[in-house]
Amino acid sequence: YYRAMHEHRCTITDPYPSLLNDDLTVTASQPIFDEHGEIIYVACIDMPLNEVLKIAHPMALESAAGRFFRLGYAGFTLVLSFVSLLLFVKGIEGFLSYGVGHADSIEIKDIFESTILLTLSLAIFDLVKTLFEEEVLGRLKNDHASSIHKTMVRFLGSIIIALSIEALMLVFKFAMTEPAMLVNAIYIIGGVAMLLIGLAVYIRFTNSGERH
């Protein structure tokens, strides 16, 4: 009340325990002015903090459908986490199989394959992190659209890197063993080029939309 009177604008207090039930509560105060700009009175309303959060963040509504979808996202994030972990373990397994002190015996093919697996593991892990924070925990960032945009760019970028490494590995392999199969590597390179073009167009239009 006093803060709204002093600042001549709507104010919201910090959460405090209610005297009625000890639940966290916030008070919103709005000064009402007359035609001369003088304060006539101040309208105040007390609201439980959880109700305020539901208004500010509709995804936090504990409806049956909301709980169902949240459990669904939790299941997907759990499964994807296992996939990411398996890819990570498989990625470092090739190096560990050589043992300590045998770095000179590691083949280039194994390095490429491990890099692909680790890159895919990172991409899936980043996707899991975003799904868990925003869909399961319900933590929306200040710029939700920008957050989704960055996650999409990182995910597609990781896929493009993995495909590029795979194409490079196939080029080396087929060039030395089966030159007639080089066309398959060219197809992958063409797909990577199309993904790069698509990603560039996506970034271009997304950035233009954010500026407007």
Side-chain angles (χ1 to χ4, degrees), residues 26 68 98:
V26 295
F68 173 77
Y98 286 94

Side-chain angles (χ1 to χ4, degrees), residues 80-98 110-111 113-122 124-125:
L80 287 174
S81 297
F82 280 119
V83 172
S84 177
L85 179 61
L86 289 175
L87 288 172
F88 177 79
V89 172
K90 193 66 177 178
I92 64 175
E93 187 180 56
F95 295 113
L96 296 179
S97 62
Y98 286 94
D110 295 330
I111 296 177
E113 291 178 351
S114 296
T115 304
I116 292 172
L117 293 175
L118 292 174
T119 303
L120 292 176
S121 175
L122 177 61
I124 295 175
F125 180 79

Side-chain angles (χ1 to χ4, degrees), residues 22-136:
D22 288 332
D23 290 341
L24 287 178
T25 305
V26 295
T27 298
S29 303
Q30 171 64 52
I32 307 299
F33 302 92
D34 60 14
E35 62 273 10
H36 303 294
E38 299 294 332
I39 296 180
I40 305 174
Y41 55 87
V42 177
C44 300
I45 182 173
D46 296 334
M47 293 185 63
L49 180 61
N50 60 340
E51 295 297 328
V52 175
L53 293 177
K54 289 179 181 180
I55 295 174
H57 182 9
M59 287 297 293
L61 290 173
E62 291 298 331
S63 62
R67 288 194 296 270
F68 173 77
F69 285 113
R70 185 169 297 180
L71 288 174
Y73 276 114
F76 276 112
T77 55
L78 182 62
V79 173
L80 287 174
S81 297
F82 280 119
V83 172
S84 177
L85 179 61
L86 289 175
L87 288 172
F88 177 79
V89 172
K90 193 66 177 178
I92 64 175
E93 187 180 56
F95 295 113
L96 296 179
S97 62
Y98 286 94
V100 181
H102 298 83
D104 54 341
S105 62
I106 298 178
E107 297 184 5
I108 299 298
K109 178 177 69 67
D110 295 330
I111 296 177
F112 280 146
E113 291 178 351
S114 296
T115 304
I116 292 172
L117 293 175
L118 292 174
T119 303
L120 292 176
S121 175
L122 177 61
I124 295 175
F125 180 79
D126 194 50
L127 180 62
V128 167
K129 174 179 174 292
T130 302
L131 285 176
F132 185 75
E133 288 183 347
E134 298 184 359
E135 303 298 341
V136 179

Side-chain angles (χ1 to χ4, degrees), residues 6-35:
H6 177 70
E7 298 182 4
H8 285 227
R9 64 181 180 86
C10 180
T11 60
I12 300 178
T13 65
D14 294 329
Y16 61 90
S18 172
L19 296 177
L20 298 177
N21 50 21
D22 288 332
D23 290 341
L24 287 178
T25 305
V26 295
T27 298
S29 303
Q30 171 64 52
I32 307 299
F33 302 92
D34 60 14
E35 62 273 10

Side-chain angles (χ1 to χ4, degrees), residues 152-180:
M152 181 65 70
V153 171
R154 286 198 300 266
F155 182 76
L156 289 178
S158 300
I159 299 300
I160 290 172
I161 292 173
L163 288 175
S164 300
I165 296 173
E166 178 71 19
L168 182 61
M169 185 174 64
L170 289 178
V171 167
F172 289 143
K173 176 183 177 181
F174 292 147
M176 293 183 293
T177 58
E178 300 178 76

